[in-house]
Amino acid sequence: MRKARPLRIAVIGGGPGGLYAAVLLKRLDPAREITVWERNAPDDTFGFGVVLSDETLGGIEHADPTVHRLLQREFVRWDDIDIGHRGQTLTSGGHGFAALGRRRLLEILHERCESLGVRLRFRTPAPPAAELAADHDLVIAADGVHSATREAHADVFAPRVTTHRCRYIWLAADFAFDSFRFEIAETEHGVMQLHGYPYAADASTVIVEMREEVWRAAGFDTCDEQQSTERCAKVFAEVLGGRPLRGNSSAWTAFRTVVNDRWSHGNIVLLGDAAHTAHFSIGSGTKLAVEDALALAACVEEQPGLPAALAAYESERRPVVESTQRAAAASLRWFEELAVHTDQPPRQFAFNLLTRSRRVTHDNLRLRDPAFTDAVERDFGCPPGTPPMFTPFRLRGLTLRNRVVVSPMDMYVGEDGMPGDFHLVHLGARALGGAGLVMTEMVCVSPEGRITPGCTGLYTAEQAAAWRRVTDFVHHHAPGTAIGVQLGHSGRKGSTRVMWEGIDQPLDTGNWPVSAASPLPYRPGVNQVPGALDRTGLAEIRQQFAAAARRAARSGFDLLELHCAHGYLLSGFLSPLTNRRLDAYGGSLENRLRFPLEVFDAVREQWPQDRPMTVRISATDWADGGTTAEDAVAVARAFAAHGADAIDVSTGQVVAEERPEYGRSYQTPYADRIRNEAHIPVIAVGAISSWDDVNSILLAGRADLCALARPHLYDPNWTLHAAADQNYTGDGAPWPLPYRAGSRKPPTGRTDAPKPRLTLG
């Protein structure tokens, strides 16, 4: 039976995505009647050059060789990225780019549409999508970031539009850069940056970007297009060789990230910037739109009907787009916080910029440009043949042999606060696995300070003796591995079930009273209303922390971490969402810090002076009105001033209504900012899953140590296996003598057998 394919198609918007969708759908079925509405003239275009990846070009070649052939004739190609900063230019090669003029791209697509019989209606605003939907089989809304279609049906598409903190302007220069160029200008008004790349033999795109406050301070907010163009050319005169810039109806704007819960509504479907945007610093807008067009045409061809086709299109494209948007968001934020990084050593700054989106990593940058990567490693202090993760790091009197930390992970198998055989085996196995530092779960300072009945403590001498059994094992059987204890109090998140019985859910029986900065339950109507601590209660808890620190020292721990994150007691004092006190412990950040700092001082006084102390914080609450990144820097500085040796930078889990922005290494930017702004060592944590991520984070100067949790549950020997994968056999990751025979991967069956060369009948 013939598939029911749409025959009458309306395309709203004549950008590359809409035009290419029309080309493909017409080519797949010449009987289709396809009309493209474009409000502007054929030769109107805003912007200059377009960058496409080899992957996108491969899809175009497969779908329409004619368009691919025409594009190939126009492309300017180059391999290098140049980074200019403080009078020095550093070059990294092997990247591979292809670009052409946006106007020429549109001309090619116009010509292809006309040759196939697609109707192009220029200077004609499209009728509303709902009106077109009534007499067309399919309506493709490719009407851009300000999509009228998306807004008209916002109740269905559920768009979320986020406006960001930088202003930028698209300009052009009448000469060709010989690379992708990033130029940093530190002006009296603040940091400005130029992103430039060639798109023709005699022309380059130039984007100038800066923070909103820098833009205003520099007076760009009162400049017209000509004045802005002239002033940008003056700021970047050296890299431009004194040549002018030109605009094309160019205006300063703030980037807007567009996300939609749904991409289709009946027979109306969103495509390109109407559906999603990704910051220009990873060159993805046209690429995503063209790939959308390829996927949409393929799904319409393959699926039995339009509803199935649109569902398949969104299912195929959404994961790709979300991944790109995560990378773009990381890149965007890096440039928003550019001023934090400008004091880094030149090559580290360049490496940090190149790896900002997390798509380029230490390992693949080494493949692209080994000489550049070797130079960055030498500057970092890596001995020959030593990956960054296996360089030592010193905290006070403790030298860690490598930069890998087994992150604190609650196990919920204690009995009356006692660690048992499980903790010995769990922590002992990870110590044998090669990490430089192994951390306990949050060890509670009182019975009432436990999260669950399965949490361990350090509030009795018997518990201290049980922990001594664990530290003795680590020191004897995994010499060189340090073991740290994390001390904490559950606060309002206590008296709940163990994780696998219902995380943060109250106990059915046997509940104990909980306390907090303010009488605010974690989940109203679900969790207990905590008692607000008075002066007597605060003093008692300070003493409990101090006593637990004394026991921890006697138990033989090498490092102590104070848990001030994740909505537990001390975190509850720090966050304005959970601290509503009217006394000296509430209100301003200085006041909210008061009790956590008092506890820190009490613990530091009892903890041996030669042993380091770290503090885990939630650098953001992921909720409106909560802790900000600026607050986190101030919190880190305060603890550093009181003697903290490093800050363990986590995020969230403070309020139930949080909306985290998950993704690979998603918490690292907060560690990066604290390290480079507060100038204190930091531990990065959160979805760091590969040794390549660890090397990249360290080499870029985003963190000094990396804490991994789930990877160490999956593989207790994660660090040793990371060493084996990198052919590293040095002192940073020695195999325990009984395990040394397993230090090489076991052989597997051959997969490279000769393939048949003859077929005999």
Side-chain angles (χ1 to χ4, degrees), residues 55-253:
E55 179 185 19
T56 304
L57 291 172
I60 292 173
E61 181 178 20
H62 182 75
D64 192 330
T66 300
V67 169
H68 182 265
R69 186 167 56 252
L70 293 170
L71 292 175
Q72 287 284 71
R73 295 174 186 167
E74 305 289 336
F75 275 128
V76 175
R77 294 184 178 274
W78 71 98
D79 288 322
D80 289 348
I81 297 176
D82 286 343
I83 298 166
H85 177 42
R86 295 185 175 175
Q88 186 172 356
T89 298
L90 293 171
T91 300
S92 173
H95 296 277
F97 295 98
L100 78 162
R102 181 179 174 87
R103 180 170 293 171
R104 182 59 187 137
L105 171 61
L106 292 175
E107 288 172 353
I108 289 170
L109 293 173
H110 292 162
E111 292 165 7
R112 186 61 172 146
C113 281
E114 289 168 352
S115 72
L116 292 169
V118 174
R119 291 181 62 198
L120 301 177
R121 301 188 62 177
F122 296 109
R123 303 183 182 89
T124 309
E131 183 179 318
L132 290 171
D135 57 3
H136 287 78
D137 301 311
L138 173 63
V139 178
I140 300 173
D143 48 348
V145 64
H146 301 291
S147 171
T149 306
R150 183 184 68 232
E151 296 310 310
H153 302 283
D155 58 324
V156 177
F157 296 126
R160 298 189 301 281
V161 180
T162 305
T163 302
H164 297 283
R165 302 172 68 178
C166 285
R167 291 277 183 159
Y168 67 95
I169 188 169
W170 287 83
L171 303 169
D174 291 325
F175 72 95
F177 285 119
D178 56 8
S179 65
F180 204 120
R181 181 81 188 201
F182 293 101
E183 188 72 20
I184 312 302
E186 295 176 90
T187 75
E188 60 183 313
H189 307 293
V191 180
M192 305 177 187
Q193 62 258 22
L194 175 149
H195 310 232
Y197 58 87
Y199 67 86
D202 59 354
S204 297
T205 293
V206 173
I207 306 168
V208 176
E209 184 183 30
M210 65 199 74
R211 285 279 288 260
E212 172 96 17
E213 59 268 29
V214 176
W215 177 74
R216 291 189 183 279
F220 281 113
D221 58 326
T222 62
C223 290
D224 60 22
E225 180 183 6
Q226 183 63 30
Q227 291 169 327
S228 290
T229 302
E230 291 173 355
R231 292 190 62 185
C232 287
K234 186 176 179 180
V235 171
F236 294 101
E238 185 173 349
V239 70
L240 296 171
R243 288 166 286 202
L245 293 169
R246 58 182 168 86
N248 176 23
S249 299
S250 301
W252 292 97
T253 188

Side-chain angles (χ1 to χ4, degrees), residues 262-550:
R262 292 188 59 186
W263 292 4
S264 65
H265 169 40
N267 61 343
I268 303 169
V269 63
L270 302 178
L271 184 145
D273 283 355
H276 47 70
T277 59
H279 193 247
F280 57 81
S281 61
I282 65 169
S284 57
T286 301
K287 173 183 182 295
L288 287 177
V290 169
E291 290 175 350
D292 281 356
L294 284 163
L296 178 61
C299 290
V300 167
E301 179 71 10
E302 294 162 357
Q303 298 298 321
L306 187 63
L310 298 185
Y313 158 69
E314 183 170 345
S315 178
E316 176 182 333
R317 290 297 296 156
R318 185 177 286 278
V320 177
V321 166
E322 288 177 346
S323 175
T324 302
Q325 286 186 312
R326 286 192 294 270
S331 179
L332 177 155
R333 287 174 185 146
W334 194 90
F335 282 111
E336 284 186 339
E337 304 298 336
L338 178 59
V340 171
H341 303 109
T342 51
D343 286 335
Q344 287 188 310
R347 269 189 285 262
Q348 185 175 66
F349 175 84
F351 181 89
N352 199 350
L353 188 153
L354 292 170
T355 59
R356 67 194 181 279
S357 73
R358 305 172 204 145
R359 288 199 158 184
V360 176
T361 64
H362 170 262
D363 202 37
N364 58 40
L365 193 56
R366 172 175 289 286
L367 292 174
R368 299 176 191 208
D369 192 342
F372 174 82
T373 310
D374 285 345
V376 179
E377 289 178 353
R378 285 195 299 273
D379 288 355
F380 184 79
C382 297
T386 302
M389 65 187 294
F390 295 118
T391 56
F393 189 72
R394 187 175 181 83
L395 288 171
R396 204 170 284 238
L398 176 67
T399 298
L400 302 175
R401 67 184 179 196
N402 65 52
R403 308 296 186 100
V404 179
V405 178
V406 176
S407 192
M409 293 175 278
D410 289 317
M411 294 289 105
Y412 305 114
V413 292
E415 295 183 13
D416 294 324
M418 287 286 288
D421 289 347
F422 181 93
H423 299 88
L424 174 66
V425 174
H426 166 67
L427 295 169
R430 276 127 195 102
L432 292 170
L437 172 64
V438 176
M439 292 297 300
T440 68
E441 61 195 77
M442 184 176 91
V443 176
C444 305
V445 299
S446 69
E448 299 78 23
R450 292 175 297 162
I451 310 167
T452 76
C455 291
T456 57
L458 256 172
Y459 46 85
T460 70
E462 291 77 14
Q463 292 163 356
W467 283 117
R468 183 77 201 203
R469 181 175 172 233
V470 175
T471 63
D472 282 349
F473 177 91
V474 171
H475 292 145
H476 181 72
H477 293 286
T481 297
I483 182 164
V485 61
Q486 185 187 70
L487 289 185
H489 186 296
S490 60
R492 69 176 188 160
K493 295 177 77 175
S495 191
T496 60
R497 304 174 195 174
V498 297
M499 181 175 60
W500 47 87
E501 292 178 358
I503 191 167
D504 296 323
Q505 294 297 309
L507 296 169
D508 293 329
T509 59
N511 286 282
W512 56 86
V514 298
S515 56
S518 299
L520 302 170
Y522 182 64
R523 284 193 174 92
V526 177
N527 299 103
Q528 288 184 55
V529 176
L533 288 163
D534 58 16
R535 294 273 179 166
T536 301
L538 294 174
E540 182 181 359
I541 287 174
R542 278 197 304 272
Q543 293 167 5
Q544 290 170 348
F545 270 97
R550 287 195 300 273

